[in-house]
Amino acid sequence: MLKELVNSYDYVIDRDFEDGRKLYTKLGVEIEYKNALDFLKQGVYGTYGGSVEQIISWARENAIETRHLLDERGFATLNKIHNQLVAGRDRAVSPTNLEEIIDNCSLILGIFSTELDRTRAYQLIRFGQQIERFDLILRLYGEIEMVTADIEVINSIARQLNRNYRPINVTTSDISKFLLFLNSVVDRVIHKDTCASAVSQSQS
Amino acid sequence: MLEPVCPELQKFYDIFDSVDQSKVSEFKEFLEANAVNFNLFKDGTFIERSFPFDMIPRIIPKAEFDALEAGIIQRVKALNAFLNDIYNDQKIVNDGVVPREYVDSAKAFLPEFMGVNPPKGVRTHISGIDLVKDAVSGKWVILEDNLRVPSGVSYPLTIRRAFRHTYPEFFESMKISKIKHYGDELKAAMDYVNTGGLNVVLTPGRYNSAYYEHSYLAKITGATLASGDDLVVENDEVFLCSYDGERQRIGAIYRRLDDDFLDPEEFEPDSLIGVKGITRAYRAGNVAIMNSIGNGVADDKGIYYFVPQMVKYYLDEEPILSNAPTYLPYYEKDRKYVLENIDKLVIKDVAEAGGYGVLFGNRLTPEKRAEIIEMILAEPRRWIAQEVIEFYDLPCMMEEGIVPRKADLRAYVIHGEKVTVSMGGLTRYAMEEGNYLVNSSQGGGFKDTWVVEL
């Protein structure tokens, strides 16, 4: 998404002022901006759900919760991005800032790919990456065919994460149904409240 | 008064002055990026904040620390023996060494756990012993024993790593005792009492002030970090429920929450952070809980008075380390002294911790003074009084330069197959000049502690 933001910024400068608005409309967000730099500012610090600052903040929260499983350099890099975003809230945003964040995110993923437990933690990261990638592609381009070839990748990772996982197939051409379906894949792998269900079973 | 500069500290200054000063910001950036936090709740609001730290470590010569180590080990052994006794035969009470009233009225004494014995007889798995160095006598004095959930050990471990990254010069030129084995020793202690299954660090969750530490300890011990809703008790055994629906038995739990919140079935029924039924598993001997349930009776501020007697009673040894001179208003003679000399004493409410409930007699208004006297007379067991110890200030690097600040030392002790003291500890300092309260929850900062051999 950061790359899309930088690409769109380039259009907003002098090619298509409405490009930024069109990009966010696909994500279900209405934004207003006065010029290209203001567009970047809205993208990073806008008050809608899903601004770059908010996404990084959520990522940091997740990283704090799972810190004991993460590589320290990966955590520190993410935390640094967050701290820089918070510190820069009152300043103008430049595409260079975003490119630095993109580089740092790539660094984090690189660190995770080499340092995390390959049977579980890293597979969970890969699983999340795939789901997010599908989600973004579908929202931006609206073509299920663009992801169907990779469904088997999701099935393969999911099987490693949960031996009881049942593989999925694409049976719909409706994007919104497919997005809902994609979220249900997560529930097939990660059982929420497993302890709560254990307690109710033992009490019944 | 500043502690005199020992040759080891002088060596630190010499090296520090000779290296590139821009390393200071590199060092600070390292800690900032690693979010070494001690969070606070202020006026009901969660404040995420970095734990303030100071670049200048406290330096303790090895020979001095060796004596401290022996005294601390002795003390923890006596306290463990006291807990085993008090939850069984209560010989020390029956023999009149500790008054029964002191045990029975201790808020953290749990008579319902009489006869419940933890695996291998260990109750004080992880202790934090707070000491200060008396500027008058030059001796170390014990201020407090923390036998429930002592926190803080992750901070010196993290800052040491930052030092080694940024300033290898110190470690090349000075013989600084290593502390990096703490994780291995803690794991060994967990394994020692483990009843079969996983080791778990049980955290109240993300918004606990010491969450950083819980996560850190899980990482360095290889234990699973879990919150209450990740665990379930079935047939008096504790299991971890993982995301794929599998369950794994747990053999040892390093819990980082107080007894009151540990089990809604046994203690606070509204606790959302505990594990229902965990005490049943503990009673059945199916899980080790570190530290044991009911330890608070031994670090009660009133019981503290009797620790030197415990050393003699259980170990038949003379105490190596002394308490701060303490008076118990419970005893008529002490009460008379306290009431006559209240202006010179520190008055402590035994039910409080973390620097709360500490009153300096010389700072009381006449009204507050009268109120405290009335409370002491009404509930003498609730209070202790101590002579004000003029403990040393340490040099701290602050914006205004190097300034003196009051500082204590928390020594960390692990009790597994044997009792070991981490060769360092957490030095906490007050942020304001002349302030005697150094507690983290009072906004204090921390330093690394180097045990150095010349």
Side-chain angles (χ1 to χ4, degrees), chain A residues 60 67 70 72 191 195, chain B residues 34 48 161 219 241 243:
Chain A
R60 179 175 177 267
R67 185 169 181 174
L70 300 179
E72 284 173 21
H191 295 205
C195 272
Chain B
N34 279 278
E48 191 177 306
R161 190 167 151 256
K219 192 179 183 90
C241 310
Y243 69 84

Side-chain angles (χ1 to χ4, degrees), chain B residues 22 56 71 84-85 106 110 172 200 210 213-214 259 273 298 301 306 328 381 449:
Chain B
S22 67
I56 307 173
N84 276 326
D85 183 21
L110 302 172
E172 285 166 347
V200 161
E213 173 155 304
H214 306 162
D259 286 349
I273 54 176
K301 288 185 173 70
F306 301 100
L328 296 185
R381 166 65 178 94
T449 309

Side-chain angles (χ1 to χ4, degrees), chain B residues 226-238:
Chain B
S227 53
D229 53 10
D230 295 324
L231 308 184
V232 66
V233 176
E234 285 177 340
N235 301 321
D236 294 347
E237 290 183 287
V238 189

